[in-house]
Amino acid sequence: MRRLCSYLPPLISLLLLSSVLSYGQAWSGILDPARAVDWTQAGIPGGIPSGSWTQCGSTIASGASTTTIQNALNACTANHFVLLGAGTFTLSSSIHSNISNIVLRGSGPTQTTIILNGHDILMGSGSSGQGSDPTAGLTATNLSTFAQGSTVLTVASTAGMSANQVVQIDQLNDTNYVNVVGNEGTENAGRCGTSGFSGCSTRAQLELVQIASVSDSTHITIKAPGLSHTYNSGLSPQVFFWSSSGIASNDGVENMTVDAGTVTTSDFAVSFSFCNFCWAKNIAVINGHRAAIYFLWSYRNEVRDSYVSESNGPGGPTEYGIECDTCSLAKIENNILFGVTSPLMIETSYGVVMGYNYMLNTSSGNQFPNIDTHRVHNFLLLSEGNIAGTLGWDFIWGSGSQNTSFRSRYNGNDPNKTNYQLPVADSAWNRYANFVGNVLGDPTFHKTYECTNVNQQPSNNFIYEIGFFNRCEVGTSGYDATTLSSLMRWGNWDAATYCTNGGHSGIACGSTGSNGIRFCK
């Protein structure tokens, strides 16, 4: 009988500590500074502010028309909320707002239900669905400050910039980190010069930052944590920005159930488009289709204390729970997601913190990643304290880098799964990943520590799949050895070796006894 290592009880105790410790702990001395960012900056500064706001107009009674709700939102002014009473509201069109500092609030998720009926709820730019991109004032100016953490930046011109404006910083792709051709091809991410926000892939690693002040014609100060990484002067770093007119901030959806129903045109049930410091709190989104809660090109947003459920059916991973599309420093914390093919879907994002979420899918068939990076280039993400089946840093549409998983539990074997049952898939071109203090695998299923190009396995009962363009057990069209050589593993307990590995090498601890089973020294 295999005995547990003495490391396991304190490791589990660490995993179960309250979120008081969430991502606020210093990683200095464990992670190289180039592999991390100040994750305490993620989410809304000071927390969601709407608790002290006052009601706008009278409470809207059950059964009121969509026009009544829309008119109430249009009439609302800053630091107010529109309150829906107990009961059911069925939409006849989408409802939306691009006025800053307002909330659409229900009387509680067990009291207020909005039936989308083929429509959606949108806060930010646009009027429905994913929203729309700003078109006015698209401008790029050269950046000549390069060091990671810098907050005072020298630019070619500050014309058109202002304090509190959110802007984008990018450069031409650094091919040491960024590969835009994934296993299934290229899905363009990033702007095409100043003609739009997407459609090209030459600047696929980007971050959104907020200007604190404009000092003069060539200097701005940005807010912490400063530049996310060190930029390369030879790759034409730039600041890209747009008119702030019509850009919303500090908007929220709270305290209600949103039922996407059977009409599949409700692809984006609750959306936040170009909506900075915006949030969803204490909502339940049920019967979702494409995305239950969706953010597009947004800065320091938050989803917390919410519940998402979808079909819990088998099939391809085009059913997402919380989807962050080009987000910077967002926070997704303390949510439950059930029956969703890909509960947390992160795309072309930076510094997103996913903390203390619970995810479960019990449908038969493939085990798709519960936490998934999908589309070039996700970097400096943090998964902390999550309970899920599989973490996937994927290479389907391109690369990612410097992403961290800390004290999370990935069992790799959700109920009724028959394929792809593994706790961690760190795919090709997801370089410089960090795994620290996680609990990995199912002792009744996982028997092998890792699958690499020198250790391919005939079945999928391994803990780590590392460096493959495709899947380890079914062959591959390519392998990225740097994903393995740059991987940092420390203090993770796994069900294959029953040991906690230490050091940077990632080699499983223990030795083999006469019965062929590893034990702890």
Side-chain angles (χ1 to χ4, degrees):
M1 180 177 183
R2 294 188 286 186
R3 68 179 179 89
L4 300 183
C5 295
S6 61
Y7 300 101
L8 182 55
L11 183 60
I12 292 177
S13 298
L14 178 66
L15 178 64
L16 296 177
L17 285 174
S18 72
S19 60
V20 170
L21 298 178
S22 176
Y23 49 79
Q25 291 184 321
W27 43 258
S28 178
I30 299 175
L31 301 182
D32 185 283
R35 302 171 78 117
V37 71
D38 181 3
W39 286 299
T40 65
Q41 300 297 326
I44 297 168
I48 292 172
S50 60
S52 62
W53 293 0
T54 55
Q55 186 172 334
C56 179
S58 59
T59 301
I60 300 175
S62 172
S65 69
T66 303
T67 300
T68 299
I69 301 172
Q70 186 63 63
N71 288 343
L73 287 169
N74 294 344
C76 215
T77 56
N79 301 334
H80 287 80
F81 61 88
V82 171
L83 181 62
L84 304 180
T88 300
F89 302 79
T90 300
L91 298 188
S92 58
S93 62
S94 296
I95 54 178
H96 61 92
S97 177
N98 65 354
I99 303 170
S100 294
N101 294 78
I102 67 168
V103 165
L104 178 63
R105 180 180 295 174
S107 297
T110 63
Q111 300 296 313
T112 301
T113 298
I114 294 181
I115 298 176
L116 294 181
N117 193 31
H119 305 291
D120 42 59
I121 300 168
L122 171 69
M123 311 297 275
S125 179
S127 59
S128 64
Q130 292 175 276
S132 57
D133 298 350
T135 57
L138 276 60
T139 306
T141 186
N142 290 334
L143 172 70
S144 53
T145 302
F146 310 124
Q148 181 187 25
S150 296
T151 56
V152 179
L153 309 183
T154 301
V155 298
S157 172
T158 60
M161 298 184 190
S162 58
N164 298 317
Q165 184 179 13
V166 172
V167 301
Q168 177 175 313
I169 298 179
D170 57 32
Q171 65 180 7
L172 297 173
N173 296 332
D174 183 342
T175 54
N176 292 306
Y177 299 93
V178 181
N179 184 347
V180 300
V181 183
N183 185 57
E184 296 187 11
T186 298
E187 184 174 281
N188 291 329
R191 63 188 174 94
C192 296
T194 56
S195 63
F197 287 84
S198 59
C200 293
S201 56
T202 56
R203 292 175 175 267
Q205 183 178 16
L206 59 94
E207 61 177 304
L208 302 177
V209 302
Q210 187 180 28
I211 296 175
S213 62
V214 178
S215 302
D216 53 41
S217 62
T218 58
H219 293 90
I220 59 172
T221 299
I222 62 172
K223 295 187 177 181
L227 295 180
S228 64
H229 63 287
T230 296
Y231 284 79
N232 185 330
S233 61
L235 296 176
S236 183
Q238 292 184 333
V239 179
F240 172 61
F241 57 97
W242 48 94
S243 171
S244 296
S245 177
I247 302 297
S249 61
N250 293 288
D251 288 347
V253 178
E254 302 175 351
N255 302 352
M256 66 178 66
T257 290
V258 177
D259 186 349
T262 59
V263 183
T264 58
T265 51
S266 297
D267 275 346
F268 302 90
V270 179
S271 296
F272 300 85
S273 174
F274 289 85
C275 193
N276 304 312
F277 311 105
C278 295
W279 66 89
K281 178 183 177 184
N282 191 33
I283 69 172
V285 183
I286 62 176
N287 301 314
H289 302 294
R290 159 62 189 267
I293 302 172
Y294 177 78
F295 290 94
L296 175 66
W297 235 281
S298 298
Y299 175 74
R300 296 194 68 168
N301 301 99
E302 197 156 328
V303 182
R304 64 178 311 105
D305 311 334
S306 293
Y307 174 78
V308 172
S309 71
E310 295 186 357
S311 68
N312 198 39
T318 52
E319 193 179 72
Y320 307 152
I322 300 169
E323 184 177 1
C324 231
D325 184 344
T326 318
C327 300
S328 286
L329 296 170
K331 183 193 291 184
I332 303 169
E333 185 175 69
N334 195 40
N335 304 287
I336 296 173
L337 302 100
F338 174 75
V340 185
T341 306
S342 296
L344 299 184
M345 178 60 69
I346 313 299
E347 301 157 324
T348 317
S349 292
Y350 146 68
V352 175
V353 170
M354 299 158 280
Y356 302 91
N357 303 286
Y358 178 81
M359 290 152 272
L360 179 65
N361 183 302
T362 60
S363 66
S364 61
N366 294 332
Q367 170 111 25
F368 292 107
N370 304 98
I371 300 173
D372 196 4
T373 55
H374 203 56
R375 198 179 65 213
V376 64
H377 182 88
N378 294 283
F379 67 108
L380 294 170
L381 309 181
L382 173 65
S383 170
E384 177 179 344
N386 295 298
I387 298 177
T390 298
L391 171 70
W393 305 139
D394 86 28
F395 185 58
I396 291 175
W397 301 112
S399 59
S401 64
Q402 301 133 302
N403 296 319
T404 295
S405 179
F406 174 50
R407 61 179 182 191
S408 289
R409 170 71 172 114
Y410 310 115
N411 65 67
N413 189 26
D414 277 344
N416 306 314
K417 301 307 179 189
T418 57
N419 201 11
Y420 305 153
Q421 296 142 283
L422 64 156
V424 173
D426 186 25
S427 299
W429 281 87
N430 279 272
R431 297 175 170 182
Y432 304 95
N434 311 301
F435 292 89
V436 179
N438 301 285
V439 177
L440 306 173
D442 176 354
T444 69
F445 182 80
H446 296 105
K447 307 300 180 185
T448 304
Y449 184 64
E450 66 183 10
C451 186
T452 68
N453 62 329
V454 296
N455 187 31
Q456 286 189 265
Q457 303 297 317
S459 61
N460 62 357
N461 62 349
F462 38 83
I463 300 296
Y464 293 96
E465 179 181 76
I466 306 169
F468 290 93
F469 281 47
N470 196 358
R471 292 283 182 174
C472 169
E473 73 275 10
V474 296
T476 178
S477 58
Y479 190 81
D480 177 38
T482 304
T483 297
L484 176 60
S485 65
S486 64
L487 176 62
M488 189 276 203
R489 288 177 282 187
W490 189 87
N492 303 289
W493 183 89
D494 73 86
T497 67
Y498 269 53
C499 289
T500 304
N501 68 291
H504 290 224
S505 65
I507 302 301
C509 75
S511 59
T512 302
S514 59
N515 61 357
I517 297 174
R518 289 190 181 276
F519 62 91
C520 259
K521 294 182 178 180

